């Protein structure tokens, strides 16, 4: 299921391990440039890690030199678009069964071009056993690393770099997985690693951790005792048995002793008083299932109890569980969760990790890559290249547990920019970017998955059209389509595969898949055309505004901003119009918004209230679409702010996403506007108008992962107003975001379903002005209906 | 650190317990308590074994031989005390005196056999009371499964003004229906005694006692009883010897030695009661305690797993096998994984890394003996209890850990292991203490309640 690649299915009928043909397109990708190998060999699974670089195409914009090329045909265009090859460092992690080690090593040997690698970092209990094989096959020296150190390093890495890495497991909830938001500070925490025994490690910082305790009753006890009691050999089978058993026939419960509960101590009758207590007295046979279940409860409860005692002693509230006993098994996650709840009375939650199985390999890799200092960069999970969390419920699909022959992958891209929190977030630790968690909202999930599927053909068409000179573009676009459709199907069944499912994650996955097949910027040409078109109206628009008195002007500005925001190729309702009517323009958009004339009037009152007081020191503006939106909607407003003496920081995407204006494009646009408009020109010159990149390549906005430089500018300028524009940034995400300064969120709802959900109609307007609570409360307008 | 120390007072340890002399009759605690109180006036007149000390307890269960004795008290005071004594005599419950603790696996019964019966009393005594006394005191086994632990008998004890022997009897909880039937057959209800019972069975079998034997149980909380009984037995001592002991040099198998000690100034203590399951209490005074936690991995788990793994049927059998086995054939040690010590974390190579960890491999499963399995089960359960108890002691900031419960009966493997575990993992900060009457304190506590009820009518 999912991304797991079944080896035997691709091997032309052979099912013998030795004759497996690995599909190189799917696993062990980018081996040619691979270096810095690390391997973590556990009891049954091997995890391989390597660093590689990926060449992929990126869209670049470059300003035409109008002075020299004025006579050329292209001079009517503002800038040229070029596609360049760029190299991105990527981390690859692959997990497979130990049975395939030899095949995999052979494959790596055959495909490894780069030979500067001399050694391979190894960890895990099996590293010793396979040392000789690895050295012989790969010709690399095996360099053993301490298991626990690797585990902790890996754990720190995923907690820091992968949003929604940790989750709480709730068996009977609507969604089994409740993902946790990334904390600004991940330390301190407790890691309870349940391998054959249990290690309890307190982690206080990147390099400071201590094994504070442990227990010999762990996964090995479950497995060993289980094998003795049930004659069942495999760990997975034992868990299967346990999930079908009744522990009450083997365990002595409180009610077996008391006849009911032990009320004065608050012990309920169903509580286990003595594990296996009945088998000491009852002279009868017990079923394998029941004994396995009893054993599972006994061990899980015991580990949970010890973990709680240690958490209490060290005053820690974040407790992560890992090790092969846990490793995505719903049965053990459930019993451990239950135990922790019971012993802490709900004060501590058991946390699990999506990439728990990779921690050792990641850590070993990081040990080997220390001189590259990978921790100084931010990394992001590549949704296109990662398998995601397997569906784990054995009730849902028992075969999924039998992973024989499946490969699981995790890929992480090095992000160009280091990402940090927006300093203006009121409470970074409780900030959740996404407005609706589709993992928990089945109705919304259905709708959005359907939406993205419906829109897929259009995206494919756009992608092909963006590369008219490339012959195999259609073929690649088809592959993209397959991949993304497959992802959507996976998410339909396993919404939790990549953490919380959100509109943002669906959009980001699409961008990752597009990039994967070398469609870095399908909208580049459209953006270019629209930018060129809108520029022609800029002076006219500005002059018209200047002729209005202050109050009228405010009204026009609001209307302009909102009308501009209608131009959104990401919204199907709009792209259908734009597709069918190429002449659809700013005026038409304003007419489209005619229905909201009344609310606009009302809004402009609020607006006047907002902007008639003393000017803000500095406004941070997260912009949305290119073309009319940025040029005719946003820029006149920026002008107005500058007039008022407010500095402006325009934050735009680092990389392309839909028709959103990128930082590169905005640089050129602003230069061009400066040439026409002295206000902009002076603003730029005096650095009262600053352009920064957000660090993101998403149509949405995660304010906890923003470019470090942006954060710096925001701080330096003493920013006291945040403006967020557009559906992706202000509704799908950040609708509930709270800031420590005034904020304004505005968008036109270009999706009928969403409008309906929010209680409005298509092309309704969201205009949300908020003042932090320490300041006197101001009227806050949310949704207005058309 | 624990102030428990070995007995130093030879006089006291050899002193008779039933003598009415205010000075010489005291138990070995009396000594200390008298010194502390500076006077024996409050309760000494009654010439009971633990008199002087009992004043420091709010509930005086253990009274008193009626005979007047020398005392320094004023005539008025003497008079008051006499009146009180009279009233106690009048309200003293009729024989037989039982205390019962009905646990998940075992029923513990204590029976007070009066040895100071006067001829007059003898005549008055009804026949079935006599027959009960004779039956219980002349046998050491009852039916197939009942056992009297003769070696634990407390002789010449004075309770509630009567002198007698305290007998300790146990039988499996499974035999409860037969026991109740016997109560019916012997017409127990005609004796008009109150049957004090604690443990879960007091609740579970209450109805059966009522309907089958026409007996009304006085149900008592098991933890209250446990603590009262324990403190009582510790106070009266074990026939002139201390009830309590510990192990000297617990970390060294060669010089490890069982050493008697007293529990004077016993609070606070962490009390770990290992029956079928385990309860862990922090005890701050006789009536101030809390249940810190518990675990379901207890004696019942040991026996239950042993039965399943080896086919044995009794606790004795299981322990016998365990004494001959080698757990390292079953458990995976640190050195089995790391080849030696895991130095990064200061783990010794000989430490158990994974209980039953070797049993993941089929070859190993085929090569071990039942004795090895029994031993591994015992070591696993014991170490786990030790580990949880130690964490609780640290969290509660208590340095003295007292282990009781029938799991420790004839189980030196576990007591030594617990002593070792407390000492080793706490680097000598914690001390494990044990009591000779391991599992009977609940039943003793129940008996004391019977007499307490008599005291305040």
């Amino acid at each position: 299921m999912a991304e797991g690649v079944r080896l035997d299915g691709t091997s032309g009928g052979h099912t013998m391990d030795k004759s497996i043909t690995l599909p190189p397109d799917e696993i062990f990708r980018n081996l040619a440039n691979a270096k810095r190998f690390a391997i973590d060999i556990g009891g049954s699974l091997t995890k391989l890690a390597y660093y590689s670089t990926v060449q992929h195409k990126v869209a670049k914009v470059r300003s035409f030199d109008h002075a020299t090329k004025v006579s050329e045909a292209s001079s009517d265009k503002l800038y040229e678009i070029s596609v360049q090859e760029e190299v991105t460092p990527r981390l690859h992690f692959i997990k497979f069964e130990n049975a395939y080690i030899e095949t995999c090593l052979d494959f790596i040997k055959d495909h490894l071009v780069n030979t500067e690698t001399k050694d391979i970092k190894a960890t895990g209990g099996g590293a010793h056993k396979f040392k000789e094989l690895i050295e012989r096959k790969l010709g690399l020296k095996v360099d053993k690393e301490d298991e626990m150190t690797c585990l902790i390093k890996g754990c720190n890495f995923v907690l820091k770099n992968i949003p929604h890495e940790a989750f709480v497991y709730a068996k009977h909830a609507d969604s089994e997985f409740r993902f946790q938001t990334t904390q600004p500070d991940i330390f301190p925490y407790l890691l309870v690693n349940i391998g054959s025994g249990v290690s309890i490690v307190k982690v206080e910082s990147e390099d400071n951790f201590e094994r504070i305790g442990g227990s010999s009753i762990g996964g090995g006890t479950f497995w060993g005792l289980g094998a003795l009691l049930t004659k069942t050999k495999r760990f997975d089978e034992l868990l299967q048995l346990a999930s079908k058993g009744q522990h009450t026939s083997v365990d002595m419960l409180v009610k077996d002793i008391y006849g009911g509960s032990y009320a004065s101590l608050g012990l309920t009758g169903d509580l286990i008083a003595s594990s296996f207590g009945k088998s000491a007295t009852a002279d009868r046979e017990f079923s394998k299932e029941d004994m396995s279940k009893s054993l599972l409860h006994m061990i899980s409860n015991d580990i949970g109890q010890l973990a709680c005692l240690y958490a209490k002693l060290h005053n820690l509230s974040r407790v992560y569980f890992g090790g092969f006993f846990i490793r995505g098994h719903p049965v053990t996650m459930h019993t451990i969760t239950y135990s922790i709840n019971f012993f802490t009375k709900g004060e501590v939650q058991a946390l699990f990790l999506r990439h728990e199985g990779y921690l050792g390999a990641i850590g070993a890799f990081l040990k080997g890559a220390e001189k590259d200092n990978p921790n100084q960069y931010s990394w992001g999970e590549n949704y296109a290249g990662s398998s995601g969390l397997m569906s784990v419920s054995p009730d849902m699909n028992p075969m999924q547990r039998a992973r024989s022959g499946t490969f699981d992958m995790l890929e992480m891209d090095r992000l160009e920019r280091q990402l940090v929190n927006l300093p203006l977030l009121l409470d970074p630790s409780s900030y959740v970017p996404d407005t609706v968690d589709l993992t928990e909202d089945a109705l919304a999930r259905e709708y959005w998955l359907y939406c993205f599927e419906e829109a897929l053909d259009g995206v494919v068409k756009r992608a092909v059209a963006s590369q008219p000179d490339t012959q195999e573009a259609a073929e690649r676009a088809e592959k993209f389509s397959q991949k993304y459709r497959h992802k959507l199907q996976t998410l339909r069944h396993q919404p939790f595969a990549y953490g919380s499912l959100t509109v943002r994650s669906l959009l980001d996955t699409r961008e990752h898949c597009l990039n994967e097949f070398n469609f870095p910027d399908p909208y580049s040409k459209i953006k270019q055309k629209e930018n060129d078109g809108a520029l022609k109206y800029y002076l006219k628009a500005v002059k018209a505004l200047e002729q209005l008195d202050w109050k009228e002007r405010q009204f026009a500005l609001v209307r302009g901003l909102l009308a501009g925001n209608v131009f959104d190729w990401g919204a199907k309702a709009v792209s259908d119009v734009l597709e069918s009517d190429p002449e659809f323009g700013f005026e038409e958009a304003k007419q489209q918004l005619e229905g909201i004339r009344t609310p606009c009037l009302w809004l402009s009152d609020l607006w006047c209230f907002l902007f008639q007081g003393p000017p803000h020191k500095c406004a941070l503006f997260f912009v949305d679409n290119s073309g009319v939106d940025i040029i005719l909607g946003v820029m006149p407003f920026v002008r107005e702010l500058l007039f008022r003496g407010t500095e402006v920081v325009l934050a735009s995407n680092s990389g392309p996403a839909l028709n959103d204006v990128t930082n590169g494009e905005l640089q050129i646009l602003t230069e061009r506007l400066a040439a026409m408009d002295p206000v902009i020109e002076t603003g730029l010159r005096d650095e009262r108008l600053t352009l920064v990149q957000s660090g993101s390549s998403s149509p949405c906005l995660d304010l906890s992962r923003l470019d470090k430089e942006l954060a710096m500018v925001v701080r330096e300028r003493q920013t006291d107003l945040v403006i967020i524009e557009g559906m992706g940034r202000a509704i799908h995400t950040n609708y509930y975001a709270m800031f420590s300064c005034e904020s304004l969120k505005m968008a036109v709802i270009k999706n009928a379903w969403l409008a309906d959900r929010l209680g409005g109609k298509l092309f309704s307007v969201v205009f949300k002005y908020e003042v932090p609570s320490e300041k006197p409360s101001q009227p806050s307008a949310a949704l207005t209906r058309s | 650190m624990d102030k428990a120390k070995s007995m130093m007072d030879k006089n006291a340890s050899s002193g008779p317990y039933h003598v009415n002399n205010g000075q010489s009759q005291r138990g070995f605690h009396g000594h200390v308590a008298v010194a502390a109180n500076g006077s024996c006036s409050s309760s000494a007149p009654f010439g009971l074994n633990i008199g002087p000390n009992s004043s420091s307890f709010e509930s005086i269960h253990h009274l008193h031989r009626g005979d007047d004795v020398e005392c320094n008290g004023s005539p008025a005071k003497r008079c008051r005390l006499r009146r009180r004594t009279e009233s106690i005599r009048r309200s003293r419950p009729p024989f037989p005196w039982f205390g019962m603790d009905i646990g998940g696996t075992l029923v513990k019964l204590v029976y007070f056999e009066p040895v100071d019966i006067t001829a007059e009393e003898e005549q008055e005594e009804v026949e079935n009371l006599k027959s009960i006394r004779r039956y219980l005191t002349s046998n050491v086994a009852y039916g197939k499964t009942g056992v009297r632990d003769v070696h634990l008998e407390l002789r010449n004890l004075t309770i509630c003004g009567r002198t007698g022997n305290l007998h300790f009897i146990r039988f499996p909880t499974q035999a409860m229906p037969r026991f109740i039937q016997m109560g019916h057959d012997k017409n127990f209800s005609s004796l008009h005694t109150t049957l004090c019972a604690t443990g879960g069975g007091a609740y579970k079998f209450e109805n059966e006692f009522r309907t089958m034997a026409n007996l009304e149980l006085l149900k008592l909380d098991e933890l209250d009883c446990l603590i009262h009984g324990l403190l009582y037995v510790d106070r009266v001592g074990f026939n002139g010897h201390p009830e309590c002991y510990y192990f000297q040099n617990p970390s060294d198998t060669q010089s490890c030695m069982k050493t008697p000690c007293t529990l004077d100034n016993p609070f606070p203590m962490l009390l770990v009661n290992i029956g079928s399951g385990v309860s862990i209490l922090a005890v701050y005074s006789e009536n101030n305690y809390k249940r810190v936690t518990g675990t379901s991995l207890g004696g019942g788990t040991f026996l239950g797993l042993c039965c399943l793994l080896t086919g044995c049927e009794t606790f004795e059998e299981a322990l016998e096998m365990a004494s001959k086995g080698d757990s390292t054939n079953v458990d995976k040690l640190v050195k089995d994984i790391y080849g030696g010590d895991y130095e990064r974390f200061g783990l010794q190579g000989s430490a158990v890394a994974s209980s039953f960890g070797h049993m993941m491999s089929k070859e190993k499963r085929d090569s071990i003996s039942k004795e090895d399995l029994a031993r591994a089960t015992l070591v696993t359960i014991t170490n786990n209890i030790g580990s949880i108890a130690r964490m609780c002691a640290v969290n509660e900031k208590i340095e003295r850990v007292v282990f009781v419960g029938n799991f420790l009966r004839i189980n030196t493997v576990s007591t030594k292991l617990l002593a070792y575990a407390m000492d080793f993992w706490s680097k000598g900060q914690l001390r494990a203490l044990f009591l000779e009457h391991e599992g009977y304190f609940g039943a003793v506590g129940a008996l004391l309640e019977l007499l307490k009820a008599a005291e305040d009518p």
Side-chain angles (χ1 to χ4, degrees), chain B residues 226-234 263 269 271 402 404 435 441:
Chain B
L226 171 67
I227 292 166
H228 292 164
L230 184 151
L231 293 170
Y232 173 76
V233 175
D234 178 63
L263 246 193
M269 69 169 153
L271 181 56
V402 179
V404 295
L435 296 167
F441 301 117

Side-chain angles (χ1 to χ4, degrees), chain B residues 76 78-88 90:
Chain B
R78 245 183 310 197
C79 189
R80 268 205 311 280
L81 287 162
R82 186 172 304 165
R83 274 205 303 278
R84 191 168 163 213
T85 315
E86 288 297 316
S87 103
I88 287 167
R90 276 199 306 276

Side-chain angles (χ1 to χ4, degrees), chain A residues 351-370:
Chain A
L351 295 167
F352 305 95
L353 300 170
R354 275 203 291 140
H355 298 100
E356 190 276 317
Y358 287 110
L359 302 187
I362 294 173
F365 169 80
L366 293 171
K367 279 292 272 184
E370 261 164 3

